[in-house]
Amino acid sequence: MKQLYPFQQNLERHFRLLISLAFVIAIYVSISASSAVASAPLSQLVDDNAGIYIEATDLNSHVKQFLASPLVTRFRQSHVFQSWLKSQDVKNLKQGLKDIESITQQPLLPLLNKIFGKSFGLAIFNNGPKQNPSFLFLTSVKDPANVQSLFENWSEKIEVSLTPASYQNIPYYVASHKTSSSEKSSPQAYYGFLEGTLIASENEKVLQSAIDLYVNQNLKKQPLKNQACIFNLKMYQRAQSVLSQSVAGSVFLNPRIWDEHIQTPKNDVERGVFNWWKKTGGFTVGLHLQNTVALEAVILFDSEAINLPLLDILRIPPEIPNNFSQIPKNALAVVSGQLNVHLLTQKIIDFYADKHPEKWQKIHAVSIGLLAGLDPVTELSKTLGPNFLFYSIPREELSFDAIAFDGLVALELSSPDQETNKASKPQYQIALENVVHYLMNSMITDHNAKLKNDTPPSILRIENHDLYEMRWIEGLGLYQPAYGINGQQIVFASSPELIKEFFTLKSEESLAALPLFQTWKETFFQEENQLCFLNISSIRTFIDENSDFLAKQLAKGQGGDIQKGQQKLSGLKSILESFDGIFFAAGLQKSQVRVIIGLGSLDTTN
C-alpha cells in the first residue's frame, strides 16, 4: 500500500470531522436557516452505474422537527445523556470543533449550513474486486462563490493547491498536495460547482460523469428521461415509491453493480443467501426523524414471480387483519404475526418422512387416533392460522422462584372447506380438545405420582362460557397451565385469568386503543403483519411498582449486594425514561420484503 502524504492524512481527518459534525448538529442544536428543498433531485446528476446512493433532502426541516420532539427533549434530561456530556469523548469532540473553526475562522453552524443547507447526496461506484470504490459527493449550497472563497482560504492553511481545470466548458478544481518545483504534483481530489450544486470526488472520471449529465440536461436541453442517471433507473424509482413520504434520508443499493464481489456458495446456507441476492433487484433504507426514530428497509425483488420458501410460509393475503383489540393495554411485550401453518407443516413432515419413513408411519397413525380421525397434515393443519399472537403481562404476585410475568399464546382457527354448525362443535375443535386434554391429564398424572404424603393433588378445572370453554390445572405449583377454545381461536396461558381477559377484553382497554400504538400502526405498519412490540411505558410502571423486589432479584447476580442491585435497576430506568416503546415490524409480498424498526415517545401536547 502506498504511503499517504501528510496532506492526504490531514484532508481525510478534516473531512471525517466535517461529516461527523453534520450528524452532531442534529443532536445539539437546530440549524437556524429556513427550510428549502433543492429545485431538482441530486440523483439526476449521478450516473446509473452507482452501486450505492445516499441522499437527504429538506434537512433543515427534518432536523428542527426532530430536535423539538419529546424523544430528544426527554433524552437530554436523562442520566445517560448527562453522563455522556461529561465523558472524554465529548471533550475530544469539542476540541475537534475548535480545530476546524481555527482553520476556517468561521463559526461552525453557519459554515455547515452553507455546505449542507439544503440537501446532500453521496454516490459510491464499484471499481472492481482489486480496487477501492470511488465516491461522488453532491450538496446544494446557498452561495457557491462564498463556498469557493472558503475552500481557497482553507486550502491555503492546510497547504493544498487548487488548480483550475475544465471539462465540457464547465470549470472545476484539482486539489493537490503542494510540492517543490522539482517534484511532480500529486492530485488528490476534484470539485466543482454546477450552478447551486457542489460536486466532489477523488476520481476525475466520476466527477466528469456528473458534468456530462448536467450539460446534457441544462445546456443541451436533452430530455431527462433519456439520461443515464440513477434518477431514471427503474429499480431506484421503485425504491423511492415504496418508502414513506416522511423519510429524512434514504440509501439505495443496486445489487447488480456488486455481483462480481459475490463468491460461489459452498454450503446450503450460502446457497440460500446467494439465491436471495440473485433475486434481489434493489435494496433501500429510509430514516425517519420525528417523535419516532425509525429505519425502514425494503428488499425489492426483480420479478413478480418469486419462489422463495420463507415468503410462501410467512406471506398471507393483506385482507386478513391482526386483532390487536384482544391484547391488554398493560402488556409488556407483544409478538404478533401471520403464518401459513398448513404449508409449514407439509414442509416439515415431508423432510421428516423422507429421513425416517417408518417412524413417521407410526407417528401418523397415533396422531390420527388422537385427532378424532383427522389427518394432521392434509386436514387439521388447514384449520390452524393464519394469525398467531403472544403477549406477556406482569404477575400480580411476584416470587423469586417464578418469572415475573405471565404469558399467553393464541392461534386463530378456521375451517375453509366446511360451514360451522353453531349448534355443534366443529370436528377440528373436538380434535384439538382431545390432544390438549391428553397432554394436560398426562401432566397431572405425572405430578400426582411424585407427590409426598399430605400434599394436595393437582386437579383439572373446567369452566364453560358463552364465548369460550376453558380448562386449567390447579395445584401444579406457581403456574396454572390453562387453555381456552371456541370455533375461532385456541388460547394457551400460564393462568386462567389471562384466558378470561383475552375473550372478554373491552376494546377501549386494549393495546389497539393506546395512542402511541395507534400512531405507529397508522404510520409504519399498516400492512406489515409480523410485529414485535415492547411497551416501555408499561415496563417503566412495572419497575416503579416493584422496585424493591426487582432490586433484590438483580442483587442475586451481584453476590446479594442490594446497593448494586439498586444501581443496576436505576441505570435501566434511566435508559427507559427517554421513550415509550420499541417496535419491529415486517411485511412480505411477492415483489418485496419490508422491515421497519423504531423507538419513540408519545407527544402528550397533541
Side-chain angles (χ1 to χ4, degrees):
M1 181 179 294
K2 295 181 179 180
Q3 186 175 3
L4 296 174
Y5 287 101
F7 152 76
Q8 187 175 3
Q9 294 172 328
N10 290 333
L11 186 62
E12 289 180 352
R13 182 171 66 88
H14 289 301
F15 183 75
R16 287 196 299 268
L17 277 172
L18 193 60
I19 296 299
S20 299
L21 289 174
F23 176 75
V24 172
I25 190 71
I27 299 179
Y28 282 108
V29 292
S30 172
I31 299 175
S32 58
S34 60
S35 327
V37 181
S39 58
L42 296 175
S43 55
Q44 294 179 5
L45 298 176
V46 179
D47 191 279
D48 59 7
N49 285 321
I52 299 176
Y53 180 62
I54 305 168
E55 184 171 3
T57 58
D58 198 7
L59 191 59
N60 293 340
S61 176
H62 286 292
V63 169
K64 283 183 177 181
Q65 187 180 41
F66 176 63
L67 293 174
S69 69
L71 179 65
V72 174
T73 301
R74 287 162 57 176
F75 180 68
R76 283 174 173 172
Q77 298 169 352
S78 69
H79 176 72
V80 173
F81 181 75
Q82 295 300 322
S83 297
W84 179 72
L85 287 179
K86 301 175 184 178
S87 68
Q88 186 62 41
D89 290 339
V90 173
K91 294 179 182 178
N92 294 338
L93 180 60
K94 289 180 178 179
Q95 184 59 48
L97 303 183
K98 291 181 181 179
D99 290 343
I100 290 182
E101 289 187 342
S102 67
I103 294 174
T104 61
Q105 295 297 309
Q106 292 192 29
L108 186 60
L109 298 185
L111 171 62
L112 288 176
N113 192 48
K114 289 177 183 178
I115 300 176
F116 299 99
K118 297 180 181 180
S119 60
F120 69 87
L122 178 65
I124 300 175
F125 295 83
N126 176 34
N127 290 324
K130 297 182 179 181
Q131 298 185 50
N132 293 327
S134 297
F135 73 86
L136 174 67
F137 178 78
L138 311 94
T139 182
S140 299
V141 296
K142 292 188 175 184
D143 190 344
N146 190 303
V147 174
Q148 172 61 17
S149 176
L150 171 67
F151 285 174
E152 290 175 353
N153 293 334
W154 194 6
S155 62
E156 185 65 29
K157 292 177 180 178
I158 61 175
E159 298 184 349
V160 173
S161 64
L162 299 180
T163 305
S166 177
Y167 176 72
Q168 293 254 55
N169 294 322
I170 300 294
Y172 64 93
Y173 298 87
V174 182
S176 58
H177 171 61
K178 287 185 176 180
T179 61
S180 63
S181 57
S182 61
E183 293 179 346
K184 185 178 180 181
S185 179
S186 176
Q188 301 296 324
Y190 307 84
Y191 76 91
F193 296 92
L194 305 177
E195 295 184 4
T197 301
L198 165 66
I199 58 174
S201 177
E202 92 295 358
N203 186 317
E204 190 171 20
K205 290 184 178 180
V206 169
L207 186 90
Q208 291 175 353
S209 70
I211 295 176
D212 284 332
L213 289 169
Y214 171 79
V215 170
N216 291 341
Q217 297 170 44
N218 295 275
L219 302 183
K220 295 183 180 179
K221 302 299 180 181
Q222 295 179 1
L224 175 62
K225 65 180 181 179
N226 295 338
Q227 304 305 310
C229 58
I230 200 168
F231 178 84
N232 287 335
L233 202 63
K234 290 184 178 180
M235 193 58 69
Y236 176 77
Q237 292 178 346
R238 185 177 156 197
Q240 292 297 102
S241 68
V242 300
L243 289 177
S244 301
Q245 296 298 316
S246 60
V247 294
S250 63
V251 179
F252 172 74
L253 181 143
N254 186 349
R256 302 290 75 81
I257 300 298
W258 309 99
D259 278 342
E260 61 183 325
H261 294 272
I262 305 300
Q263 298 180 354
T264 303
K266 299 178 182 179
N267 52 52
D268 291 341
V269 175
E270 291 183 0
R271 277 189 286 272
V273 174
F274 183 79
N275 189 27
W276 274 73
W277 176 265
K278 282 299 183 182
K279 293 178 183 294
T280 299
F283 177 76
T284 185
V285 177
L287 173 65
H288 297 262
L289 291 176
Q290 296 176 345
N291 288 338
T292 301
V293 177
L295 282 176
E296 175 184 10
V298 186
I299 300 174
L300 300 164
F301 298 123
D302 56 8
S303 171
E304 294 294 330
I306 299 300
N307 182 23
L308 293 171
L310 180 61
L311 290 185
D312 295 334
I313 292 171
L314 296 178
R315 187 181 58 250
I316 303 296
E319 62 269 13
I320 302 177
N322 282 311
N323 191 2
F324 299 114
S325 62
Q326 290 184 289
I327 304 172
K329 190 179 292 186
N330 67 332
L332 303 174
V334 175
V335 177
S336 174
Q338 296 181 339
L339 189 68
N340 190 331
V341 179
H342 177 58
L343 181 59
L344 178 61
T345 302
Q346 280 187 319
K347 290 185 177 297
I348 293 175
I349 295 302
D350 289 345
F351 176 80
Y352 185 82
D354 182 61
K355 297 290 184 180
H356 310 282
E358 295 183 358
K359 289 183 178 180
W360 166 241
Q361 289 180 0
K362 295 178 181 179
I363 295 173
H364 188 237
V366 172
S367 301
I368 292 176
L370 285 174
L371 295 172
L374 290 182
D375 187 283
V377 181
T378 61
E379 295 178 292
L380 182 67
S381 63
K382 290 183 179 180
T383 69
L384 302 176
N387 289 317
F388 68 89
L389 169 68
F390 163 81
Y391 66 79
S392 61
I393 64 171
R395 289 183 66 115
E396 294 183 2
E397 296 182 7
L398 301 183
S399 169
F400 290 112
D401 298 323
I403 300 175
F405 55 84
D406 282 314
L408 178 144
V409 177
L411 185 64
E412 185 179 23
L413 302 177
S414 59
S415 182
D417 298 332
Q418 58 181 352
E419 294 185 3
T420 302
N421 184 358
K422 295 183 179 181
S424 61
K425 291 183 181 180
Q427 189 177 4
Y428 64 83
Q429 183 175 339
I430 296 174
L432 288 171
E433 288 179 351
N434 284 347
V435 174
V436 179
H437 289 166
Y438 171 78
L439 295 175
M440 296 181 82
N441 286 325
S442 298
M443 292 172 63
I444 292 172
T445 301
D446 180 70
H447 179 267
N448 289 343
K450 299 176 182 178
L451 287 180
K452 297 180 180 180
N453 294 334
D454 301 326
T455 303
S458 298
I459 58 176
L460 182 65
R461 294 292 188 181
I462 299 174
E463 283 187 8
N464 294 328
H465 301 268
D466 292 338
L467 298 176
Y468 63 97
E469 296 179 5
M470 183 172 67
R471 309 286 187 271
W472 77 95
I473 302 175
E474 190 174 276
L476 194 62
L478 295 172
Y479 299 99
Q480 294 178 292
Y483 90 95
I485 191 170
N486 58 21
Q488 293 78 44
Q489 291 169 312
I490 183 168
V491 183
F492 302 91
S494 58
S495 168
E497 282 71 25
L498 268 69
I499 303 287
K500 294 177 183 179
E501 183 179 42
F502 178 83
F503 283 108
T504 60
L505 186 67
K506 296 180 180 179
S507 59
E508 59 270 21
E509 297 297 327
S510 70
L511 184 67
L514 194 67
L516 178 64
F517 189 84
Q518 281 184 333
T519 301
W520 278 355
K521 187 177 186 305
E522 293 171 359
T523 305
F524 296 109
F525 45 86
Q526 288 183 339
E527 298 180 358
E528 281 61 53
N529 298 318
Q530 321 299 327
L531 173 69
C532 177
F533 173 71
L534 293 180
N535 191 347
I536 303 301
S537 179
S538 183
I539 293 174
R540 282 201 309 266
T541 301
F542 172 71
I543 292 175
D544 290 337
E545 293 177 349
N546 303 277
S547 56
D548 292 340
F549 172 85
L550 295 173
K552 292 178 182 178
Q553 194 170 51
L554 290 172
K556 285 185 174 182
Q558 305 296 321
D561 191 328
I562 296 296
Q563 186 175 1
K564 290 184 178 180
Q566 291 173 340
Q567 290 175 350
K568 279 187 168 292
L569 188 63
S570 177
L572 176 61
K573 288 174 62 177
S574 178
I575 294 174
L576 300 180
E577 285 173 358
S578 303
F579 50 97
D580 296 320
I582 301 174
F583 72 89
F584 174 87
L588 300 97
Q589 302 175 15
K590 272 288 187 182
S591 59
Q592 67 183 45
V593 174
R594 182 191 302 272
V595 175
I596 309 172
I597 183 170
L599 61 85
S601 303
L602 177 65
D603 187 352
T604 55
T605 61
N606 292 337

